[in-house]
């Protein structure tokens, strides 16, 4: 992202938070909605045409099946997709920040950006229902035990479930999802597993453990938080943040040509080793297809020309 693009975005997104609702498999309706908008299909599209098209795999998702079952004319319209309601909806909110800097080098590994410059960070923050339950069961005294402020999360009272780091070029009309990640859900479950494991091994109580010293939680309340509260978010966080990143690209930036790293390509270009499933299974679920042609703005980056020339690098691409 260039400095001018950064300044433009800061002027545009003056709101502190943007509401973003999501329910399981909502992305199936979202992607079909964008396809109808792109092709300007005012009368919608036949369900049979959807099933036979490149997004036909989305018709197997529960929300689409429910929607199509109520269609009396075998057609799905833009409004049908946009205003579909679900009792499982979670009302997240989105906030933004930046990551990295504009120094003309990329020798600092912690940035993990493909090209020099800023990443635009989209933070998907927990909804109020989660936050009320969390404060009731955990009752942190100082800080939040599952948040790392060294990562691009909200530094204030909003609690970030997951984030996406984005790079894009408004001139070429391309967006690259650099990273999707969460700390909160992973760290909460890992901590509980380690506590249980240590308790069984050493048969000790844990009143003096740092987690219990800095919260008013005990093991029963911690387990209740995981089993009754966090479970709903654990099951959707990856598709929810991917969905939010695509929404931002298409609806806010007007970019419908979207890329994400493959696992191998990300390791090479960003010098990191992320979870394989996030950069293999998840893009495939959203209909991304592999390509060996890099985004044009990546091809034009002076610092990457040699690397791109000497290595065969694949990317995931989704284009509406």
């Amino acid at each position: 992202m260039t400095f001018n693009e950064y300044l433009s975005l800061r002027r545009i997104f003056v709101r502190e938070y943007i509401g973003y609702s999501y329910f399981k498999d909502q992305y199936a309706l979202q992607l079909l909605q964008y396809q109808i908008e792109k092709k300007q299909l005012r009368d919608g599209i036949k369900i049979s045409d959807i099933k036979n098209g490149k997004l036909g795999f989305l018709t197997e998702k529960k929300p689409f099946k429910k929607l199509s079952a109520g269609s009396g004319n075998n057609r799905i319209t833009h409004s049908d997709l946009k205003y579909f309601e679900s009792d499982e909806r979670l009302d997240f909110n989105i906030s933004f920040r930046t990551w990295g800097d504009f120094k003309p080098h990329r020798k600092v590994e912690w940035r993990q950006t493909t090209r020099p410059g800023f990443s635009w960070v989209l933070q998907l923050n927990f909804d109020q229902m989660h936050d009320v339950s969390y404060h009731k069961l955990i009752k942190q005294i100082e800080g939040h035990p599952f948040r790392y402020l060294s990562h691009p999360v909200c530094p204030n009272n909003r609690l970030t479930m997951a984030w996406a780091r984005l790079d894009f070029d408004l001139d070429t009309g391309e967006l690259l999802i650099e990273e999707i990640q969460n700390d909160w859900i992973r760290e909460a479950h890992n901590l509980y597993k380690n506590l249980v494991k240590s308790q069984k091994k050493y048969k000790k109580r844990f009143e003096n453990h740092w987690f219990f010293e800095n919260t008013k939680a005990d093991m029963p309340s911690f387990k209740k938080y995981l089993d009754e509260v966090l479970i709903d978010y654990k099951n959707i966080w990856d598709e929810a943040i991917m969905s939010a990143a695509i929404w931002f690209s298409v609806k806010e930036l007007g970019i419908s040509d979207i890329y994400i790293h493959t696992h191998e390509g990300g390791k090479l270009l960003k010098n990191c080793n992320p979870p394989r499933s996030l950069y293999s299974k998840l893009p495939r679920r959203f209909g991304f297809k592999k390509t060996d042609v890099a985004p044009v703005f990546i091809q034009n980056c002076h610092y990457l020309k040699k690397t791109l020339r000497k290595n065969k690098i694949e990317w995931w691409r989704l284009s509406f």
Side-chain angles (χ1 to χ4, degrees):
M1 183 171 60
T2 67
F3 185 66
N4 288 335
E5 288 170 338
Y6 161 71
L7 291 179
S8 297
L9 287 177
R10 294 302 298 174
R11 286 194 292 266
I12 294 171
F13 294 102
V14 294
R15 291 172 291 173
E16 188 173 3
Y17 301 109
I18 298 176
Y20 187 80
S21 298
Y22 192 81
F23 52 84
K24 179 67 176 173
D25 290 333
Q26 182 179 336
Y27 71 89
L29 306 185
Q30 176 192 30
L31 297 182
L32 291 170
Q33 177 190 335
Y34 297 160
Q35 183 186 56
I36 288 176
E37 290 175 350
K38 186 70 173 181
K39 294 184 177 181
Q40 298 183 339
L41 303 174
R42 295 183 179 180
D43 297 325
I45 186 172
K46 290 183 179 180
I47 294 175
S48 57
D49 289 342
I50 297 175
K51 290 182 177 180
N52 295 326
K54 66 178 183 178
L55 296 179
F57 65 97
L58 298 175
T59 62
E60 296 301 314
K61 299 300 180 182
K62 182 179 176 180
F64 184 87
K65 287 185 175 182
K66 183 177 180 180
L67 181 61
S68 60
S71 174
N73 59 359
N74 196 38
R75 299 185 75 88
I76 297 295
T77 67
H78 176 270
S79 295
D80 293 333
L81 296 164
K82 184 176 181 179
Y83 297 111
F84 180 86
E85 286 291 338
S86 171
D87 294 336
E88 300 174 354
R89 185 185 73 180
L90 297 172
D91 295 319
F92 299 104
N93 67 71
I94 288 173
S95 55
F96 302 99
R97 66 171 292 186
T98 55
W99 176 263
D101 57 42
F102 287 111
K103 294 180 180 178
H105 60 76
R106 53 191 308 274
K107 297 297 185 182
V108 180
E109 294 182 359
W110 62 264
R111 293 190 184 98
Q112 296 182 2
T113 58
T114 303
R115 61 174 181 164
F118 274 129
S119 290
W120 184 253
V121 181
L122 184 154
Q123 300 162 331
L124 189 61
N125 304 308
F126 285 110
D127 61 341
Q128 186 177 21
M129 182 173 64
H130 165 272
D131 289 359
V132 169
S133 298
Y134 163 73
H135 289 296
K136 180 179 179 181
L137 293 169
I138 303 301
K139 300 178 183 176
Q140 86 285 354
I141 298 172
E142 183 177 352
H144 298 285
F146 316 125
R147 177 169 71 181
Y148 294 135
L149 290 177
S150 59
H151 286 173
V153 298
C154 271
N156 53 26
N157 289 329
R158 296 305 314 185
L159 306 178
T160 300
M161 179 181 74
W163 67 87
R165 285 197 298 107
L166 312 173
D167 193 7
F168 55 87
D169 190 298
L170 297 178
D171 291 330
T172 65
E174 299 165 316
L175 179 139
L176 171 63
I177 300 174
E178 289 270 31
E179 169 188 79
I180 57 175
Q181 187 172 328
N182 90 79
D183 291 330
W184 192 283
I185 298 170
R186 181 190 66 248
E187 292 305 313
H189 282 87
N190 285 344
L191 174 60
Y192 184 80
K193 289 177 183 178
N194 290 334
L195 286 171
V196 171
K197 183 179 179 180
S198 297
Q199 193 173 40
K200 289 181 179 179
K201 183 176 181 179
Y202 300 110
K203 298 181 180 179
K204 291 182 179 179
R205 299 174 64 87
F206 292 97
E207 290 85 348
N208 295 328
H209 190 277
W210 64 264
F211 173 67
F212 298 117
E213 286 185 340
N214 289 280
T215 69
K216 293 183 179 179
D218 53 23
M219 285 294 280
S221 64
F222 189 11
K223 189 174 189 304
K224 183 176 182 179
Y225 171 67
L226 297 179
D227 293 346
E228 299 182 13
V229 179
L230 207 57
I231 186 65
D232 290 337
Y233 305 90
K234 181 182 179 182
N235 291 335
I236 68 166
W237 81 265
D238 53 350
E239 66 178 62
I241 188 61
M242 177 74 91
S243 173
I246 294 173
W247 162 82
F248 178 75
S249 179
V250 174
K251 305 300 289 184
E252 296 296 315
L253 298 181
I255 294 176
S256 56
D257 198 6
I258 303 168
Y259 294 78
I260 186 171
H261 287 287
T262 61
H263 181 263
E264 295 76 11
K267 283 179 64 176
L268 176 64
L269 291 170
K270 298 189 297 175
N271 195 27
C272 62
N273 187 21
R276 184 175 295 273
S277 64
L278 290 180
Y279 301 92
S280 57
K281 295 180 180 179
L282 184 62
R284 193 175 289 112
R285 282 167 57 192
F286 275 72
F288 283 78
K289 302 296 183 183
K290 280 188 177 180
T291 176
D292 58 3
V293 180
V296 173
F297 74 91
I298 296 295
Q299 296 181 44
N300 292 339
C301 178
H302 169 73
Y303 298 95
L304 296 175
K305 288 185 180 295
K306 184 177 179 180
T307 302
L308 295 175
R309 186 174 64 250
K310 295 181 67 174
N311 298 274
K312 183 179 179 180
I313 301 174
E314 289 188 312
W315 310 76
W316 291 104
R317 184 186 184 193
L318 178 67
S319 183
F320 296 98

